[in-house]
Amino acid sequence: MRFFLKIIGLVLVPFAASSQNGYYSRLEKDTLVIGNGLVERKFTWNKGNLITYSLTNKSNKHTWLNQSQSPDFSVSGSQVPARNSSFTYTEVAENSIRTGYLEATVGFTVGTLEVKRVFRIYKDCPVIACDTYLRGKMNQTSDRSATSQGDQKNIEFAADMQSRPVSGILDQLKPGGFHWQTRVVEFYDITDWNNNLVFETNIIPYRKNSYRGNLLFAQDMEADAGFFLLKEAPSSTTQLAYPGNDFTTEFGHFMVTGPGLTPKDIKEDEWRKAYSVVTGVYNGGELNRLTALRSYQKNMRKLLPGRDEMVMMNTWGDRSQDSRVNEQFSLLEVERAAQLGITHFQIDDGWQQGKSPNSAVAKGSFENIWNNPDYWTPDPVKYPNGLGPVVEKGKKLGVEICLWFNPSVQNNYADWEKDAQALIKLYQSYGIRTFKIDGLAIPTKQAEINLRKLFDRVLDVSNNNVVFNLDATAGRRSGYHSFNEYGNIFLENRYTDWQNYYPYWTLRNLWLLSKYVPAEKLQIEFLNKWRNADKYGKDVFAPAHYSFEYLFAVTMAAQPLAWFEGTGLPAEALDLAKVIKAYKNMQHDFHKGTILPIGDEPSGRSWTGFQSIHKGYGYLLVFRERNPQQHATIKTWLPENTKLICTKILGSGLNINQVTGPGGTLKLQLQKENDYVLYKYQLAGSGHSK
């Protein structure tokens, strides 16, 4: 049920929403309150143009009072008072994509610009998210260029040290104080060009400075508590209307900048969505801040065993491109996939009648795709019987068939309805529900809108059964913190042909990302290590120096991607089947936990790994790279003085019973270099927590 309250002038009527799920929103006199059992944010109503009054962490009962008198949101550059205020709320029901939540909507008008701020509050999650929509006309002067620090005067010039206006503020909080340990995290995708994907900047906020990134963690050193701000947007390098930064700090003042819209993007008759901001609170240190973030991220898309968990094989990694793709090849690959225990077989570019520019057999194009209405039908020469025989073979052998798809990018995805219908037809005709989405380009707000319409239409018709593998390898795409409701992320192309596949590189990228991005939402590759071994020469980190099982183990914390032709493997590779079988038995439980990196950063010579944290138990996946030490002390996320029982599931090593040392460390042993062990652990007792 949706409730609505219209507020005119200063006549404010108490109005409240609450739920058995523990979240609530209420407007009393001049105060709006939003929260749940873990977090609460109060606002001064200000005719709808909200000003934060306080932010409370209910776990430790700490409250920060906001010291700013300016509205939290500002893009128009206008100081005109708000009018036409409104407040509504509704409880959004749970479905197969998302968990349920409370939605509280505040609307107002400033000048000629209508603003709608939609707050989302989830059960047992210490965050309040805010989606902002704009309609009408926006002041053109709000498009301001960044000021170079080199053009500013020194501290002796008092006037120059005054706060300068920051345009395009999505949200802000000014708790004040001088003792904030702050971390800003910037992410890179475009992995065909980038192999360093996460950059942390640790600062103590001082004079007004701006930073790039999707995440800001602010630790209040006087309160032993903190909050984080997540900007739900593509990576900084690919955001729309990018002002050059995402966060601005000044002492105890934190602002989220860059709404992703220009005045020309705003329409008078259509709501246009800016980038969203998520505010979360936590107590104590690193584990709590990361757990708070992850609790929100896991609400964005449910991880269902039959739909989202996969061990996928895609043959593109062996570089034959589409030259071998046909019915007979696909049938043989499905057989080999079944022998390995693969759950999903994906036919990449080449199954369709149209030819792409990546084709090895024809000079194709993605331009004007729909001049050929049969572009996205199975190639009648390669698949004379359609995809039916391959799909049926897959069903018989327990292998789900998946496809590659490249939406029609021209004119901001103007043909999105045709693209959606092509995907729906494949779903309805063959039951194909997992699609690798490639070739994306999101250069404009209209392109973003149409692309979302495409995905939403397919999900709607398929009753949310479809999964999109969103390729992050090139172009201006969605990054790690937007479009998360649609599926998982195809992270990187790596090939032995070009010697850009090194197992520790892959492990390092997953390890670094897993701190801030759910590992289970990433597809991570392992390759045929026997191909092109000669091209690596005497390289000690060449894939040939690792067991095939180790290469697979690198992917276990994520969604494993067998990036090769199964029929090209030697017979010895089939021994991996028993490992994959054991992995599938625990894959979903491993992924349900909060997966975080442990040990040292992978370097090819480290002791490293991942921990999946559940209540009372969990998993430890530990790698000994090319390190000379058989024994290592690994720092985990377990509390100190915790007794645990570790039972080996896969890999080498022995079962262990141990009490954690200082910092939650464990003493582990692996006798061989380039080896691993996967443990399931049970907590038998605990000391103090981190």
Side-chain angles (χ1 to χ4, degrees):
M1 183 179 295
R2 181 180 292 271
F3 301 89
F4 179 76
L5 174 66
K6 186 74 172 181
I7 302 163
I8 302 175
L10 296 175
V11 181
L12 302 180
V13 183
F15 214 68
S18 61
S19 166
Q20 62 182 4
N21 289 314
Y23 36 59
Y24 55 86
S25 177
R26 62 179 180 269
L27 180 62
E28 297 177 336
K29 296 184 179 180
D30 66 343
T31 302
L32 175 68
V33 184
I34 298 173
N36 60 23
L38 299 174
V39 61
E40 182 177 271
R41 191 170 180 179
K42 291 183 179 180
F43 304 87
T44 301
W45 180 248
N46 192 37
K47 299 182 179 179
N49 197 1
L50 302 176
I51 301 172
T52 293
Y53 175 78
S54 65
L55 177 67
T56 298
N57 179 343
K58 288 190 171 183
S59 294
N60 65 357
K61 298 181 174 56
H62 182 77
T63 296
W64 292 284
L65 297 177
N66 187 43
Q67 298 181 15
S68 173
Q69 299 303 310
S70 299
D72 296 342
F73 173 81
S74 174
V75 293
S76 67
S78 172
Q79 302 300 316
V80 178
R83 54 189 173 84
N84 298 331
S85 306
S86 64
F87 169 58
T88 65
Y89 58 82
T90 185
E91 195 162 352
V92 179
E94 178 179 11
N95 63 22
S96 57
I97 291 288
R98 61 167 188 265
T99 60
Y101 60 92
L102 181 68
E103 185 178 271
T105 301
V106 174
F108 62 93
T109 301
V110 177
T112 56
L113 182 68
E114 294 180 74
V115 181
K116 181 169 64 174
R117 303 188 73 203
V118 182
F119 296 90
R120 291 178 278 119
I121 312 97
Y122 299 84
K123 178 183 178 182
D124 298 329
C125 185
V127 309
I128 299 173
C130 183
D131 307 319
T132 300
Y133 298 83
L134 304 177
R135 186 171 67 181
K137 292 183 179 180
M138 188 162 71
N139 189 341
Q140 295 286 338
T141 61
S142 62
D143 254 354
R144 298 174 183 163
S145 59
T147 301
S148 170
Q149 195 174 61
D151 294 329
Q152 297 165 209
K153 298 182 178 67
N154 64 34
I155 198 169
E156 304 299 333
F157 289 80
D160 204 55
M161 296 306 296
Q162 296 297 315
S163 294
R164 303 178 312 281
V166 176
S167 63
I169 300 175
L170 280 167
D171 206 349
Q172 60 180 310
L173 188 65
K174 188 179 181 181
F178 295 92
H179 306 292
W180 293 91
Q181 293 287 336
T182 304
R183 177 183 301 167
V184 180
V185 189
E186 183 177 6
F187 301 84
Y188 284 77
D189 49 358
I190 314 179
T191 56
D192 279 354
W193 291 92
N194 295 313
N195 201 39
N196 298 283
L197 310 181
V198 180
F199 291 86
E200 298 176 346
T201 301
N202 294 307
I203 62 168
I204 295 176
Y206 188 57
R207 303 291 179 182
K208 185 169 287 182
N209 281 286
S210 297
Y211 304 91
R212 293 158 53 103
N214 289 88
L215 268 168
L216 181 148
F217 296 95
Q219 181 83 22
D220 185 343
M221 302 305 291
E222 294 182 284
D224 192 30
F227 63 87
F228 69 82
L229 299 168
L230 167 64
K231 184 179 180 181
E232 292 190 298
S235 300
S236 301
T237 54
T238 56
Q239 287 180 30
L240 300 175
Y242 193 58
N245 57 76
D246 301 280
F247 301 104
T248 296
T249 66
E250 184 177 20
F251 297 107
H253 191 182
F254 304 88
M255 291 166 273
V256 186
T257 55
L261 291 159
T262 68
K264 293 180 181 179
D265 290 322
I266 310 301
K267 304 298 179 184
E268 294 189 53
D269 57 351
E270 177 186 343
W271 287 109
R272 289 291 178 91
K273 186 175 181 294
Y275 293 139
S276 300
V277 178
V278 179
T279 303
V281 297
Y282 59 90
N283 330 327
E286 186 84 340
L287 176 59
N288 288 336
R289 77 171 69 170
L290 298 177
T291 302
L293 170 64
R294 192 60 46 85
S295 71
Y296 171 74
Q297 292 169 322
K298 283 181 175 288
N299 278 294
M300 293 302 94
R301 180 183 173 92
K302 293 181 181 179
L303 194 74
L304 301 184
R307 181 190 66 190
D308 298 285
E309 298 285 12
M310 56 189 69
V311 180
M312 178 180 284
M313 187 170 80
N314 181 311
T315 64
W316 197 266
D318 278 4
R319 298 303 305 151
S320 62
Q321 297 167 271
D322 62 341
S323 64
R324 302 186 67 189
V325 173
N326 59 38
E327 180 180 297
Q328 184 60 27
F329 174 75
S330 298
L331 291 171
L332 292 173
E333 288 294 312
V334 170
E335 289 182 5
R336 183 50 57 92
Q339 291 173 343
L340 283 166
I342 299 290
T343 64
H344 293 64
F345 171 63
Q346 188 169 67
I347 309 173
D348 210 293
D349 187 1
W351 64 269
Q352 75 281 9
Q353 188 173 146
K355 295 295 181 286
S356 85
N358 296 320
S359 173
V361 299
K363 291 185 178 180
S365 173
F366 287 138
E367 293 183 8
N368 302 313
I369 280 179
W370 286 105
N371 286 349
N372 175 5
D374 296 320
Y375 195 103
W376 293 115
T377 58
D379 188 318
V381 176
K382 294 182 174 186
Y383 295 92
N385 304 298
L387 296 174
V390 181
V391 171
E392 288 305 311
K393 186 66 170 283
K395 288 180 179 178
K396 181 180 178 181
L397 297 177
V399 179
E400 185 170 328
I401 306 304
C402 316
L403 292 176
W404 169 92
F405 190 87
N406 195 112
S408 312
V409 69
Q410 67 270 8
N411 300 320
N412 297 317
Y413 300 99
D415 289 324
W416 70 266
E417 291 181 280
K418 295 178 182 177
D419 289 340
Q421 189 54 44
L423 291 166
I424 290 166
K425 184 177 180 181
L426 290 164
Y427 170 76
Q428 294 176 336
S429 300
Y430 298 110
I432 293 171
R433 60 175 180 168
T434 302
F435 297 92
K436 178 183 176 185
I437 302 298
D438 206 351
L440 294 186
I442 311 177
T444 66
K445 176 55 67 171
Q446 189 62 57
E448 179 190 286
I449 291 169
N450 287 343
L451 193 58
R452 283 193 177 277
K453 287 180 179 179
L454 190 168
F455 294 152
D456 289 340
R457 174 71 59 82
V458 175
L459 288 183
D460 182 57
V461 174
S462 71
N463 195 28
N464 295 330
N465 280 325
V466 164
V467 179
F468 296 112
N469 314 130
L470 299 178
D471 186 292
T473 64
R476 187 183 288 270
R477 299 181 183 174
S478 54
Y480 305 102
H481 302 285
S482 65
F483 283 60
N484 300 116
E485 65 269 40
Y486 296 121
N488 57 33
I489 297 172
F490 178 97
L491 184 64
E492 57 190 17
N493 293 310
R494 297 293 183 261
Y495 303 101
T496 57
D497 306 71
W498 301 334
Q499 301 92 64
N500 71 339
Y501 172 61
Y502 287 97
Y504 87 86
W505 284 6
T506 297
L507 179 58
R508 176 176 178 266
N509 283 339
L510 175 59
W511 192 91
L512 290 169
L513 283 168
S514 68
K515 197 172 183 180
Y516 305 112
V517 178
E520 67 272 16
K521 299 298 179 69
L522 300 170
Q523 285 191 303
I524 298 296
E525 78 287 352
F526 69 108
L527 273 65
N528 179 346
K529 76 189 191 78
W530 295 275
R531 284 186 75 246
N532 302 311
D534 57 319
K535 292 188 176 182
Y536 285 84
K538 296 181 179 180
D539 193 328
V540 297
F541 297 113
H545 293 302
Y546 301 80
S547 70
F548 200 39
E549 180 177 344
Y550 183 99
L551 301 188
F552 175 72
V554 166
T555 74
M556 286 180 180
Q559 298 295 334
L561 176 66
W563 191 231
F564 51 68
E565 296 174 11
T567 53
L569 294 172
E572 64 182 286
L574 298 182
D575 291 340
L576 186 64
K578 60 181 180 294
V579 177
I580 293 179
K581 180 180 179 181
Y583 170 74
K584 289 189 296 185
N585 289 334
M586 48 71 66
Q587 178 182 20
H588 185 58
D589 197 47
F590 188 103
H591 288 160
K592 281 198 304 183
T594 297
I595 300 172
L596 296 173
I598 59 173
D600 294 327
E601 179 180 314
S603 65
R605 296 188 181 276
S606 302
W607 277 80
T608 186
F610 303 92
Q611 181 177 350
S612 174
I613 305 168
H614 291 257
K615 186 175 182 179
Y617 76 100
Y619 298 88
L620 294 166
L621 176 59
V622 178
F623 298 88
R624 175 190 171 187
E625 297 186 304
R626 194 179 175 88
N627 186 293
Q629 303 299 320
Q630 292 186 11
H631 299 81
T633 300
I634 295 280
K635 187 175 182 180
T636 72
W637 298 100
L638 292 163
E640 186 176 328
N641 296 326
T642 298
K643 183 179 180 181
L644 65 157
I645 302 169
C646 296
T647 304
K648 187 188 78 170
I649 298 176
L650 287 168
S652 303
L654 302 173
N655 294 341
I656 58 173
N657 296 340
Q658 198 171 134
V659 177
T660 56
T665 53
L666 282 175
K667 295 179 180 179
L668 300 174
Q669 178 181 2
L670 286 170
Q671 291 187 344
K672 297 186 299 182
E673 294 181 352
N674 294 336
D675 204 355
Y676 82 101
V677 61
L678 173 62
Y679 287 116
K680 182 174 183 179
Y681 68 83
Q682 298 282 345
L683 300 186
S686 61
H688 65 80
S689 54
K690 289 187 180 180

